[in-house]
Amino acid sequence: MGTFESEGGVNFSFFSRNATRVQLEFFDLPQDAKASRIVNLNPACNHTGDMWHVWVQGVEPGQLYGYRVDGPYQPTEGHRFNFQKLLLDPFANAISRMPDWNFERAHGFDPLAPKQDAVCSQVDDAGSMPKSVFTDNTFDWQNDQPLKHAWSKTVIYETHVRGFTMHASSGAHHPGTYRGLIDKIPYLQDLGVTAIELMPVQEFNENQVTAVHPQTGVSLRNYWGYDPVAFFAPKASYSSNTGLGQQKMEFKEMVKALHAGGIEVILDVVFNHTAEGNELGPTLCFRGMDNVIFYTLAGDKRYYKDFTGTGNTINANHPVVRDYILTALRYWVIEMHIDGFRFDLASVLGRDGYGNLLANPPLLARIAEDPILRDVKLIAEAWDVAGAYQVGNFSERRWAEWNGQYRDDTRRFWRGEDGMLGRFASRICGSADIYAKSGKGPECSINFVTCHDGFTLSDLVSYCGKHNEANGQNNHDGSNDNFSQNNGAEGINANPEIEASRNRLIKNFLLTLFISRGVPMLLGGDEFRRTQMGNNNAYCQDNETSWFNWQNLEQHSEIFRFARDIIAFRRAHPVLSEEKFYADAEIAWFSPEGRFPNWEDPGGKEIACLIHEKGDDRIYLMFNAGNEAKNFTLPKLPSNYRWHLAVDTFRSAPQDSTAASRDVPPVLSLSYRLGARSSVIVTTQHV
C-alpha cells in the first residue's frame, strides 16, 4: 500500500472497505486549491477487494497529491465520508510544509468558540490542507548499520528536535532542525549517552491552537507533537530546507551522523490516536477513508471511545489497522534506519475494538516477534488515561517499560519521606519487586527521575508546586503529584545556601539514576539545570520556556561535569548495569552502623549497600536523605585493599567527584561522615 515506482510510473493504493468513489488529485503548489490533474478511479478496474489502486505515468519525486473519497455519511453507523475534504495518503512519507496550516481555520470556524461539527461541512478545504508528497528512496547510507547496543550499555537522552537547538545560544548552523541536532553530536558523545530518544517527529500540525496565553493573548502552539497526522512522514518544519520531501533526506542525514558517532536513535511514536479528534474534529485522513475501521467507536457510533485524552482512539487490534502499524514500524527501521521506539500510552495498543484490555494483545506480540523488528529496542509507556497501569507486566520480556514507580520512589526518598528505605533499595537493584513476577529482568526497567512530561530536574528541586499559568488553563493542567521540594524558596533564587542545597540534591538524583540496575534515561538539559520556570506541562510552549538555553552549560558546568563523571563511573563498573537481578552473594545492605538494616523503621532515612565486582573489587554506596550529618561504618577489607573516595555529593566541586579520575583519594578510616541529604561512593583499590 502507499506509493511505489513501477515501469515509468507510480502506483497509488490505499485501503477502504466502505468507500464508493475515489479521486486522486495532483497539485503544483502546497497552497493550491485547485488540482492540476485529476484521476478518477474506476471501481471496476481500480478496486480489488478493499484496496483502491491506480498506476499513473510520469509522476516525479516532489509531486503533490491527495485523495477525495466518497461513501455514506451515516454517523450513527460510524461512516463519515465527505468528498469535499482532501485527504492525506495514510502511507505518505512526506507532506508539504504549510506555514499557516490550521485545522480550525481550514474548516471555517473559530478555534476558541464552542465547537461545531466540521465533518459534514461542504466547504472544499484543499487550499488550506497540506498535500502528500511523492518521494523516492534515493540516499547514500554508506554502509550504515544498526548499532545494536546492549541494554546494559545503553544510556538514553530524551530530547526535542526543535527545542534542542532553537535557542540563539545553541550555536547551531540550522537551529531547531535535524541538521541542528547533528551539530550537537560531539556534545552528546562527551556527555556519554549512547541513545537519543526523540519526542514525536511523525508529522503533526504545530500551528494547531491549543489555548491563548492569558497575559499576551498569543495563541499557543502544539509544541510536543503528540497529535500525529501522518505516521510515515518526518516533521517537515524540522528540516532546514523548504523543498518538497527534503525533510526525509535531512532526517536520514541526522540518523547516519548519530550512528557514526555511536549513538542510537529511538523515536517516541504515537499510534494510540490521531489529530482528527472527536466527532467535532477535522477530517484529515482515516476518518474520511474508513472511520468505522480505523477508530474505536462507542455504542452510539456517532461518538468515539477515548482512552487517550485526545478525543479518539485508534482501533489498534483490528487486523487491517494492526498491519498498518506494523508496516509503519518496519518502514522507520528499514528505510530510515531507526534503532528503537518508545510507544506513547502503549496500553491503548492492548485494547480490543470495544476498549477492553486483552490478555494477550495480538499487536504487541506481533511487534515483539516481527522478523524485521526483532532487534530494535521496544519501550512502552505502560499505561493510558482510562485507568490501565501495566508497569511490570506489559506484554512479554522483549518490551521494556518506563518505570514510573522508579521516578516516584526516588523522588520521595530524597524528599525525606518516611518508610521509603525498602522501596528505594528495590529501585537501585532493578525493581525485582515489579518485574520478576512476570519473568522480566532489570533491563526492562527504563529508569528515570524526570522526563518531558513533568518538572525538569532543576525545577524538581526549586518548586513545591507547578506553575502552568502560561498554558492558559488557570494552572489546572499538569500533574499535582510531583513529590518535589523547593529547598527554602519557590523558584529561581540567588541565595548561595539554597543553590548549594539544590545542586546537592540534583547530584543525588543523578548518582542514584546511574548506579541503579536497569536502563537510565536522562531528560535533555537536566545535565546543566535547564528550567521551565516551574511549568510541568510545557506541551504548548514553543518558546524559551522549553528551548534549551545553552548559556546554562557554562553557568552550571559543575552539574554537567558531575553528570558526565557519574555516567563514566557506570561505564567503568559494568556490575551496575548487568541484565539480571543481584544474587544474594553479590549485594548486601547495611545500616549506617554496619548492621543489617531495619527495613520496617518508618523514620529511617539512611542506607548503604556493598556490591561485589570481579575478584575482590567492591563498591560501597551510602545514602543519607536526612537533615543531619551521619557517620557510616565502612566494611573491613583484606589487608591488601583500601577504600578510595569516588563521589561525595556534599563536597563542593571539583572534590565532589573523582569518578573519572585516576587520582582517587584513599579513605584512611573505617568511619565516613555523610553530610545531610548527600550520597557517597567508595571503591576498592589494590595496595
Side-chain angles (χ1 to χ4, degrees):
M1 292 186 280
T3 59
F4 62 91
E5 294 183 87
S6 173
E7 300 178 349
V10 175
N11 193 70
F12 295 81
S13 64
F14 71 93
F15 166 92
S16 181
R17 178 167 297 166
N18 295 291
T20 58
R21 178 171 58 135
V22 173
Q23 190 167 282
L24 173 62
E25 298 187 354
F26 296 98
F27 298 84
D28 294 331
L29 297 171
Q31 66 271 24
D32 284 354
K34 296 295 183 182
S36 58
R37 183 183 181 188
I38 295 176
V39 178
N40 286 297
L41 277 65
N42 184 337
C45 57
N46 299 119
H47 187 203
T48 303
D50 293 331
M51 296 301 302
W52 293 83
H53 51 85
V54 64
W55 178 85
V56 182
Q57 187 174 15
V59 177
E60 299 292 335
Q63 176 65 61
L64 302 171
Y65 69 98
Y67 291 104
R68 295 187 189 274
V69 181
D70 207 0
Y73 183 77
Q74 299 171 342
T76 56
E77 299 301 318
H79 301 306
R80 291 181 173 270
F81 292 96
N82 188 338
F83 202 69
Q84 299 302 313
K85 303 305 174 189
L86 186 72
L87 303 178
L88 293 168
D89 180 355
F91 291 90
N93 46 52
I95 71 171
S96 61
R97 189 169 176 176
M98 295 287 286
D100 194 35
W101 178 29
N102 184 284
F103 291 162
E104 289 81 7
R105 285 197 298 274
H107 290 82
F109 59 91
D110 181 352
L112 301 178
K115 294 295 186 184
Q116 309 156 39
D117 190 338
V119 179
C120 61
S121 168
Q122 294 304 299
V123 176
D124 190 313
D125 65 353
S128 55
M129 275 290 292
K131 280 74 175 175
S132 302
V133 184
F134 171 68
T135 66
D136 62 19
N137 294 326
T138 303
F139 185 78
D140 185 3
W141 282 102
Q142 296 181 323
N143 297 317
D144 176 75
Q145 296 294 323
L147 297 175
K148 297 183 182 179
H149 292 318
W151 279 122
S152 60
K153 298 183 183 301
T154 297
V155 175
I156 300 172
Y157 187 89
E158 187 197 27
T159 194
H160 187 285
V161 171
R162 178 172 168 83
F164 194 46
T165 62
M166 191 62 199
H167 197 278
S169 62
S170 74
H173 294 96
H174 301 283
T177 67
Y178 304 122
R179 286 179 172 170
L181 197 150
I182 291 174
D183 291 338
K184 292 296 184 183
I185 290 175
Y187 169 82
L188 295 170
Q189 292 174 307
D190 184 37
L191 181 59
V193 302
T194 68
I196 187 166
E197 182 175 307
L198 299 178
M199 291 172 65
V201 299
Q202 292 170 315
E203 189 63 72
F204 63 93
N205 175 22
E206 72 269 25
N207 291 319
Q208 180 183 8
V209 175
T210 60
V212 170
H213 193 286
Q215 280 79 46
T216 66
V218 173
S219 294
L220 300 173
R221 291 157 38 100
N222 178 6
Y223 172 67
W224 281 357
Y226 289 91
D227 224 6
V229 300
F231 289 108
F232 287 72
K235 187 83 186 83
S237 64
Y238 294 168
S239 167
S240 66
N241 193 301
T242 58
L244 299 175
Q246 186 77 5
Q247 61 268 36
K248 181 177 174 181
M249 185 194 74
E250 291 192 14
F251 184 91
K252 290 180 176 182
E253 288 177 348
M254 177 194 70
V255 173
K256 178 180 172 182
L258 284 162
H259 284 177
I263 299 172
E264 293 181 309
V265 182
I266 298 171
L267 296 188
D268 193 340
V269 290
V270 186
F271 287 109
N272 56 74
H273 75 281
T274 77
E276 291 185 303
N278 63 15
E279 70 279 1
L280 303 179
T283 296
L284 305 170
C285 181
F286 299 109
R287 175 173 284 152
M289 287 191 163
D290 216 327
N291 184 67
V292 75
I293 298 292
F294 284 100
Y295 291 112
T296 302
L297 304 180
D300 182 342
K301 294 183 180 179
R302 292 177 297 174
Y303 305 109
Y304 298 80
K305 290 194 174 183
D306 183 8
F307 303 112
T308 66
T310 64
N312 67 52
T313 303
I314 288 286
N315 188 12
N317 281 293
H318 187 286
V320 170
V321 185
R322 186 165 66 233
D323 285 347
Y324 173 80
I325 293 173
L326 283 163
T327 302
L329 294 171
R330 292 173 190 143
Y331 173 82
W332 286 102
V333 170
I334 295 171
E335 182 59 33
M336 309 300 269
H337 287 209
I338 291 304
D339 303 281
F341 303 95
R342 178 264 187 190
F343 292 77
D344 179 67
L345 298 182
S347 290
V348 171
L349 305 181
R351 293 184 181 272
D352 64 17
Y354 300 98
N356 302 310
L357 285 169
L358 296 165
N360 297 291
L363 174 59
L364 301 180
R366 283 284 303 277
I367 292 172
E369 297 298 331
D370 185 84
I372 301 298
L373 306 178
R374 196 66 184 90
D375 292 325
V376 304
K377 290 179 167 64
L378 302 176
I379 303 171
E381 184 183 33
W383 55 82
D384 63 29
V385 300
Y389 191 81
Q390 298 175 299
V391 173
N393 59 3
F394 186 88
S395 192
E396 55 189 84
R397 184 160 184 160
R398 270 274 286 136
W399 284 89
E401 305 165 15
W402 269 24
N403 188 347
Q405 292 186 54
Y406 182 96
R407 172 199 60 207
D408 294 346
D409 291 343
T410 301
R411 290 182 180 191
R412 293 176 66 191
F413 173 80
W414 283 117
R415 195 165 71 157
E417 292 189 20
D418 290 344
M420 295 304 300
L421 289 183
R423 296 178 70 88
F424 182 69
S426 293
R427 302 303 152 253
I428 287 174
C429 291
S431 298
D433 58 323
I434 297 174
Y435 292 101
K437 60 182 176 293
S438 63
K440 294 192 172 190
E443 77 281 0
C444 294
S445 176
I446 305 298
N447 298 333
F448 65 102
V449 178
T450 55
C451 65
H452 72 273
D453 190 4
F455 280 140
T456 67
L457 189 53
S458 185
D459 288 353
L460 183 67
V461 300
S462 304
Y463 294 89
C464 280
K466 64 185 182 182
H467 294 268
N468 299 354
E469 291 82 4
N471 294 353
Q473 300 179 46
N474 297 314
N475 206 34
H476 292 156
D477 62 306
S479 175
N480 295 317
D481 301 321
N482 298 293
F483 307 114
S484 61
Q485 51 195 305
N486 66 18
N487 290 281
E490 192 76 352
I492 293 176
N493 192 280
N495 185 307
E497 292 185 2
I498 290 176
E499 276 296 279
S501 180
R502 290 173 176 176
N503 279 340
R504 185 162 65 253
L505 272 173
I506 287 172
K507 293 175 186 178
N508 290 336
F509 281 123
L510 291 171
L511 183 150
T512 303
L513 178 64
F514 288 106
I515 59 84
S516 297
R517 278 204 178 168
V519 182
M521 184 183 77
L522 180 69
L523 174 62
D526 277 353
E527 73 278 12
F528 55 72
R529 289 195 59 176
R530 183 175 73 87
T531 178
Q532 294 176 171
M533 308 300 290
N535 192 323
N536 76 349
N537 189 34
Y539 73 101
C540 57
Q541 299 296 327
D542 187 9
N543 49 50
E544 294 198 7
T545 298
S546 298
W547 300 344
F548 286 42
N549 185 339
W550 290 89
Q551 294 173 343
N552 286 351
L553 181 57
E554 181 177 355
Q555 180 183 353
H556 297 293
S557 59
E558 172 184 349
I559 298 299
F560 173 79
R561 183 193 54 78
F562 185 89
R564 183 181 59 191
D565 283 359
I566 200 65
I567 292 173
F569 183 85
R570 178 183 181 87
R571 187 166 56 246
H573 297 274
V575 67
L576 299 173
S577 56
E578 289 185 16
E579 296 181 21
K580 63 183 183 68
F581 296 116
Y582 285 106
D584 290 343
E586 296 173 317
I587 190 169
W589 289 90
F590 297 93
S591 69
E593 297 78 18
R595 296 190 289 269
F596 188 79
N598 179 6
W599 298 112
E600 305 303 321
D601 180 7
K605 304 289 191 297
E606 307 88 14
I607 195 72
C609 71
L610 179 68
I611 298 173
H612 294 268
E613 297 189 271
K614 290 183 178 179
D616 289 326
D617 292 337
R618 300 171 193 179
I619 303 171
Y620 200 58
L621 308 171
M622 294 171 277
F623 306 95
N624 177 14
N627 292 320
E628 302 292 336
K630 190 78 173 181
N631 289 325
F632 278 69
T633 299
L634 302 182
K636 293 182 179 180
L637 295 173
S639 59
N640 58 337
Y641 276 84
R642 182 178 293 168
W643 289 114
H644 285 251
L645 179 65
V647 179
D648 185 341
T649 63
F650 195 82
R651 296 190 177 196
S652 300
Q655 285 75 35
D656 56 342
S657 171
T658 59
S661 171
R662 293 185 178 181
D663 184 20
V664 182
V667 178
L668 301 178
S669 170
L670 286 182
S671 178
Y672 193 97
R673 189 165 182 81
L674 262 68
R677 306 173 80 201
S678 66
S679 46
V680 169
I681 303 175
V682 292
T683 60
T684 52
Q685 286 193 9
H686 193 271
V687 177

